[in-house]
Amino acid sequence: DVDECALGLDDCHPDAICQNTPKLYKCMCKVGYTGEGKKCEDTDECDNDFNGGCVHECFNIPGNYRCTCYDGFMLAHDGHNCLDTDECMYNNGGCQHVCVNTVGSYECRCKEGFFLSDNQHTCIHRSEEGMSCMNKDHGCAHICREMPKGGVACECRPGFELSKNQRSCILTCNHGNGGCQHTCDDADNGPICGCHPKYIMHVDGKTCLEREEAAVEISEGNATAGADVDKRVKRRLLMETCAVNNGGCDRTCKDTSTGVHCSCPVGFTLQFDGKTCKDIDECQSNNGGCDHFCKNTVGSFDCSCRKGFKLLTDEKSCQDIDECSFERTCDHTCINHPGTFECTCNKGYALYGFTHCGDINECSINNGGCQQLCVNTLGDYECLCPSNYKLHWNKKDCVETKGSSPNNMSPKVLLRCIKSGGSDRCFLSCSSDAQVFSDTSAIKISVTFKLNEGKCSLKKTEMFQEGLEQVVPERHNSIMESLHYVNLTCSSGKKVHGALSRLTATREISITADFELETSRKEVTDTCDVRCARKKTEKRFRKTIRTLRKTVSRDQFRIRISGMDHEVARKSLKLSEPQQSCGVGQMHVGNRCENFGEGISLGLIRGVGSSEGAKPYSLRLLCASVGLDGCPLFGIFLGGRWEGTGSYQCSPGEYSPDGFKPCLPCPLGTYQPEAGRVSCFPCGGGLTTRHSSASLFQDCETKVQCSPGHFYNTTTHRCIRCTVGTYQPEFGQNYCISCPGNTTTDFDGSTNITQCKNRQCGGELGDYTGYIESPNYPGDYPANIECTWNINPPPKRRILIVVPEIFLPIEDECGDYLVMRKSSSSNSVTTYETCQTYERPIAFTSRSKKLWIQFKSNEGNSAKGFQVPYVTYDEDYQELIEDIVRDGRLYASENHQEILKDKKLIKALFDVLAHPQNYFKYTAQESREMFPRSFIRLLRSKVSRFLRPYK
């Protein structure tokens, strides 16, 4: 026998099963399909008097069907019946005060002395005065509107109709299925409920019972538990056919030649008895395909994401929310991390309120380490010295000026260029004790010399001395300039990519020289004033720069530091053997390690590049910063990396006349927290230290130990609380640190920078879109703050507000509150009012055309506060917008709630609401990718009803 089924020689329909027989084969349509086997058609299980057994909606799918429930209901375990969802179980239904569950819906109620706001979730204080919507007895069941000519008019929530008395509201089937569990029909006096044919009405007139359950309920009083025989046994005793009691099947029943065949809808599995259907827990298998969390529901399942992630429209995948892509996330730099983000600040600024950056007042931290005067600047600070003193190279100490006038000083930095035999040579010489001094007549010039390729380095030269000797006899061919300050920086720019076959990519090299030139007083004459002399000097020096540019490009530029002679050379990059690690005090010269020469090691900052040229060589000479023995900054090559050692400077707790070794220990009664200093700070107040070489004020033997939030006063020998606007996190300090930027503290005695808060009321108020935010948001808001905002939209526009979340401490008994009213008068129409944390989002329209908003905090507890966006829209859309925001389905699912918290989605929604023509900017595909299907369905049904009311 040939097995036609196995060999694929049969002509059965794709939805049929092929069964081999001894002579041929036969075709049978699969369950859920009808036909003789060669041709099979899907059976529409929903197309019958029983609606497929579904009590609400039945959806036919190929070979099967699925029951779904209206909003406010969930599928029962039998997969057909629909049970009421208790919305109050989750987050109190979003109600501010009391949540009351009803069949198919829920309603919020308010405590005594409050009434429900138009948004149907939050509560507003009642007023006792006048006949207005703020009055205790305005008489409206749902929504109250003040009329332009006085008096009030009542409106109803979506799904209700205003009764003839113009005050009460009549429920319709459009709200929570009219409170009916199964079917609902509207009548003049309200909905009339009905039940699916397999069920009968409960005495409450709303819920439905299975007929067998009803029989049990009726006979329950006079029947014993033993008489309640298993229903399935009863069914088996009958002749099994789908025409009788659905063949005993839970769901679909089909008569076959072998008897009844039961099957289950999608999301259920048939049990061993062949009759009952059990819900499949999809979350047990591969987490239901959910990226993060899976929650099983009857016949289906829901996915959700961790905080900081959003559910994509496939309703399974979670995507990290890139907070850095939002506007105003961080003041300076934003770094996105999975599920969160981090803000960092530029140098000289400190982070406060999680996302904001404020200038650090370095002068408040031990006077910035300055020996004399400290001046704070934005992002930096500066130490200043009195007259007859100059700033030391460490930029903090003051040293006595030698000589009476700068012009009498011997030049500390000399630039000499020699023209000889058609070529130029330049020499830069720094004397060993070069110092910086300020002179208003100084000319500052910065110039960059570009070289094509290679790397910068300094190498010792023996040609320097002979070059110098040529200067004296050939004065007519030489140029000499006396400079205040020179800073040379050698760096590499962009890679110059050659052919693919080249092993190394070269870089363009540039040497940047910053010069500070002294204007000679001798050049000031009767005919040429200071300005004229300055111009002459500048012109002359620019000519010198041109000569210098030539010499740099020809590698004929020499530098002398502390008596040692060097030239700046550029060498083309070559591949070399991997270099061995040099010891401390040594560096690579070619392929071997050599000891640092004392002069050059102190005068040079040098970075080492890899053999492939991945890192540039860098050369920096700070002649102006050279101390008696050279520059304090240099690096040593250790195990493949460069580290600044500072080993020639005096360590903290030491000092010397120039800040370099050899050093002396700080004597008893003094301390020094920094390296390279020329003196130590006295403890003050006659205090001594436990030992010499003290490096901290805490080493001073104070009479009391001050706790954080205090500083030690060396005059009174008492601990003083840090004043408002300052803080101190450490024990035993003699200063308090100023809060960064324009922040301050709520009270004195603060111990942490997190207690520094910006008191400025935040927000941007535009005609079409804008936002308000509590001061210091998203950090905790300050105490005793009062903010007011006024939103005054253009004519014929109304205001829509979204409160994504608000954090106010509930334990303060309404000490901190946010209120939105028509005006500052407490009797004016109030739109929104809250004094507690509310993490579930709420959207609502303003009850008045203008809004006066106030936020007030007391001196008690604080919290994160709020950032509340708003949009103004054309008043022609008032009915549609209110219909959407008052519908509980907008907040019913976590997915919908996340939309109102998603800044990008809210921005897109507001963009279209403010300017409807912008709707055409978004394609249908973009919309589907942005919003869940359920959200689009909700909006589409409302928009369709608004645009086609008579359809």
Side-chain angles (χ1 to χ4, degrees), residues 100-117:
V100 178
N101 186 52
T102 60
V103 176
S105 187
Y106 68 101
E107 63 180 69
C108 300
R109 293 178 187 170
C110 296
K111 297 172 186 172
E112 186 66 32
F114 293 81
F115 68 91
L116 202 61
S117 170

Side-chain angles (χ1 to χ4, degrees), residues 90 187 257 272 290 472 547 714 862 877:
Y90 175 69
S257 57
F272 291 119
C290 303
V472 182
T547 306
T714 54
S862 179
Y877 297 107

Side-chain angles (χ1 to χ4, degrees), residues 181-477:
Q181 185 181 354
H182 284 188
T183 61
C184 177
D185 291 301
D186 282 314
D188 291 341
N189 296 323
I192 296 173
C193 300
C195 292
H196 186 274
K198 291 186 178 181
Y199 296 78
I200 62 169
M201 182 66 70
H202 190 275
V203 289
D204 64 7
K206 292 183 177 182
T207 54
C208 299
L209 297 169
E210 277 192 73
R211 291 190 179 275
E212 289 175 2
E213 282 180 14
V216 170
E217 268 193 22
I218 292 163
S219 61
E220 206 167 34
N222 51 23
T224 62
D228 187 13
V229 184
D230 192 306
K231 296 173 197 173
R232 310 236 174 258
V233 176
K234 283 183 182 178
R235 286 174 183 156
R236 296 263 163 80
L237 297 176
L238 298 169
M239 178 183 170
E240 288 200 322
T241 169
C242 295
V244 179
N245 204 17
N246 199 39
C249 299
D250 254 5
R251 301 301 174 83
T252 307
C253 179
K254 185 179 181 183
D255 285 310
T256 67
S257 57
T258 56
V260 296
H261 186 279
C262 302
S263 60
C264 301
V266 177
F268 294 83
T269 181
L270 195 66
Q271 296 302 91
F272 291 119
D273 64 2
K275 304 285 185 181
T276 54
C277 294
K278 184 185 177 185
D279 171 52
I280 298 169
D281 186 352
E282 294 86 353
C283 297
Q284 293 294 317
S285 173
N286 193 30
N287 199 38
C290 303
D291 271 3
H292 291 178
F293 305 121
C294 179
K295 179 184 175 185
N296 187 52
T297 60
V298 178
S300 188
F301 64 99
D302 289 324
C303 299
S304 59
C305 300
R306 292 194 295 270
K307 191 172 175 63
F309 292 82
K310 63 185 271 187
L311 194 67
L312 297 183
T313 50
D314 65 4
E315 298 188 353
K316 288 187 177 182
S317 308
C318 293
Q319 184 185 65
D320 171 53
I321 297 169
D322 183 3
E323 294 87 355
C324 297
S325 66
F326 301 156
E327 293 176 356
R328 307 181 301 271
T329 301
C330 297
D331 282 0
H332 287 180
T333 307
C334 182
I335 304 161
N336 188 52
H337 299 296
T340 184
F341 69 100
E342 176 191 359
C343 295
T344 59
C345 296
N346 300 338
K347 188 173 180 247
Y349 291 81
L351 194 69
Y352 71 88
F354 300 112
T355 65
H356 304 291
C357 295
D359 170 55
I360 299 169
N361 182 1
E362 294 86 354
C363 297
S364 69
I365 307 168
N366 198 28
N367 197 39
C370 298
Q371 191 183 51
Q372 299 287 342
L373 186 64
C374 180
V375 177
N376 186 53
T377 58
L378 271 180
D380 206 354
Y381 71 105
E382 190 180 356
C383 298
L384 298 179
C385 297
S387 57
N388 296 327
Y389 282 82
K390 60 190 176 186
L391 204 58
H392 186 256
W393 59 262
N394 62 26
K395 304 286 193 224
K396 297 197 173 181
D397 289 312
C398 295
V399 291
E400 203 169 348
T401 308
K402 297 173 185 174
S404 57
S405 146
N407 282 333
N408 293 339
M409 295 169 66
S410 58
K412 301 299 180 185
V413 185
L414 285 177
L415 176 65
R416 313 173 191 197
C417 293
I418 308 158
K419 296 183 178 182
S420 163
S423 67
D424 303 292
R425 286 184 185 181
C426 285
F427 304 92
L428 180 71
S429 179
C430 302
S431 69
S432 61
D433 59 345
Q435 299 287 353
V436 177
F437 55 88
S438 178
D439 189 338
T440 52
S441 63
I443 299 166
K444 295 179 181 178
I445 293 177
S446 181
V447 61
T448 299
F449 311 100
K450 285 191 177 175
L451 308 167
N452 288 334
E453 59 180 79
K455 60 187 180 182
C456 298
S457 67
L458 272 195
K459 64 178 182 181
K460 293 182 185 178
T461 174
E462 295 170 6
M463 296 167 62
F464 194 83
Q465 202 56 40
E466 73 179 67
L468 275 180
E469 287 163 5
Q470 293 176 17
V471 172
V472 182
E474 297 185 32
R475 278 194 182 275
H476 60 285
N477 276 338

Side-chain angles (χ1 to χ4, degrees), residues 579-707:
Q579 292 178 325
Q580 66 187 61
S581 294
C582 291
V584 175
Q586 293 185 316
M587 67 179 288
H588 283 288
V589 177
N591 290 323
R592 65 184 188 279
C593 296
E594 283 193 2
N595 292 327
F596 276 125
E598 189 154 318
I600 184 64
S601 67
L602 290 172
L604 180 66
I605 302 174
R606 187 173 185 182
V608 166
S610 68
S611 58
E612 297 174 8
K615 297 177 187 173
Y617 267 70
S618 67
L619 161 88
R620 179 171 288 182
L621 290 159
L622 296 165
C623 297
S625 299
V626 174
L628 292 175
D629 278 312
C631 199
L633 300 168
F634 62 97
I636 288 180
F637 192 63
L638 295 172
R641 69 181 190 277
W642 273 90
E643 292 183 358
T645 63
S647 61
Y648 281 79
Q649 298 178 45
C650 292
S651 303
E654 298 178 340
Y655 76 102
S656 73
D658 60 4
F660 290 113
K661 294 180 178 179
C663 308
L664 297 167
C666 287
L668 292 174
T670 67
Y671 65 97
Q672 179 50 260
E674 296 179 18
R677 299 299 295 263
V678 302
S679 64
C680 298
F681 296 112
C683 290
L687 299 176
T688 186
T689 49
R690 287 183 275 278
H691 50 77
S692 59
S693 302
S695 60
L696 300 167
F697 176 77
Q698 284 98 323
D699 296 326
C700 300
E701 294 190 308
T702 55
K703 297 185 179 178
V704 285
Q705 167 82 320
C706 294
S707 59

Side-chain angles (χ1 to χ4, degrees), residues 520-784:
S520 174
R521 305 265 171 92
K522 295 174 185 174
E523 292 190 22
V524 180
T525 61
D526 295 340
T527 56
C528 186
D529 60 7
V530 175
R531 192 179 294 174
C532 161
R534 183 186 172 94
K535 280 188 177 177
K536 272 188 178 179
T537 308
E538 199 171 327
K539 187 176 179 182
R540 188 182 70 242
F541 189 62
R542 290 200 182 278
K543 188 178 177 184
T544 307
I545 295 293
R546 286 196 292 274
T547 306
L548 181 63
R549 194 182 289 280
K550 292 177 191 174
T551 65
V552 169
S553 65
R554 292 176 186 159
D555 292 347
Q556 293 183 328
F557 180 40
R558 308 283 184 270
I559 294 174
R560 163 172 285 200
I561 309 162
S562 302
M564 297 287 284
D565 303 336
H566 297 84
E567 66 176 321
V568 178
R570 60 184 172 95
K571 304 170 187 175
S572 59
L573 297 167
K574 293 177 184 174
L575 281 173
S576 60
E577 295 292 316
Q579 292 178 325
Q580 66 187 61
S581 294
C582 291
V584 175
Q586 293 185 316
M587 67 179 288
H588 283 288
V589 177
N591 290 323
R592 65 184 188 279
C593 296
E594 283 193 2
N595 292 327
F596 276 125
E598 189 154 318
I600 184 64
S601 67
L602 290 172
L604 180 66
I605 302 174
R606 187 173 185 182
V608 166
S610 68
S611 58
E612 297 174 8
K615 297 177 187 173
Y617 267 70
S618 67
L619 161 88
R620 179 171 288 182
L621 290 159
L622 296 165
C623 297
S625 299
V626 174
L628 292 175
D629 278 312
C631 199
L633 300 168
F634 62 97
I636 288 180
F637 192 63
L638 295 172
R641 69 181 190 277
W642 273 90
E643 292 183 358
T645 63
S647 61
Y648 281 79
Q649 298 178 45
C650 292
S651 303
E654 298 178 340
Y655 76 102
S656 73
D658 60 4
F660 290 113
K661 294 180 178 179
C663 308
L664 297 167
C666 287
L668 292 174
T670 67
Y671 65 97
Q672 179 50 260
E674 296 179 18
R677 299 299 295 263
V678 302
S679 64
C680 298
F681 296 112
C683 290
L687 299 176
T688 186
T689 49
R690 287 183 275 278
H691 50 77
S692 59
S693 302
S695 60
L696 300 167
F697 176 77
Q698 284 98 323
D699 296 326
C700 300
E701 294 190 308
T702 55
K703 297 185 179 178
V704 285
Q705 167 82 320
C706 294
S707 59
H710 297 75
F711 73 96
Y712 187 82
N713 185 314
T714 54
T715 306
T716 62
H717 297 287
R718 293 173 64 182
C719 294
I720 311 294
R721 286 171 72 84
C722 290
T723 57
V724 170
T726 66
Y727 66 97
Q728 177 50 260
E730 296 179 12
F731 281 92
Q733 276 294 6
N734 60 335
Y735 62 89
C736 292
I737 304 167
S738 292
C739 282
N742 56 354
T743 62
T744 186
T745 58
D746 289 337
F747 311 104
D748 59 1
S750 296
T751 59
N752 199 291
I753 193 170
T754 57
Q755 292 166 282
C756 295
K757 302 171 185 177
N758 189 336
R759 294 183 68 84
Q760 187 175 346
C761 303
E764 289 178 12
L765 305 181
D767 280 349
Y768 294 94
T769 57
Y771 70 98
I772 62 163
E773 71 179 16
S774 51
N776 205 54
Y777 183 87
D780 288 355
Y781 53 78
N784 298 315

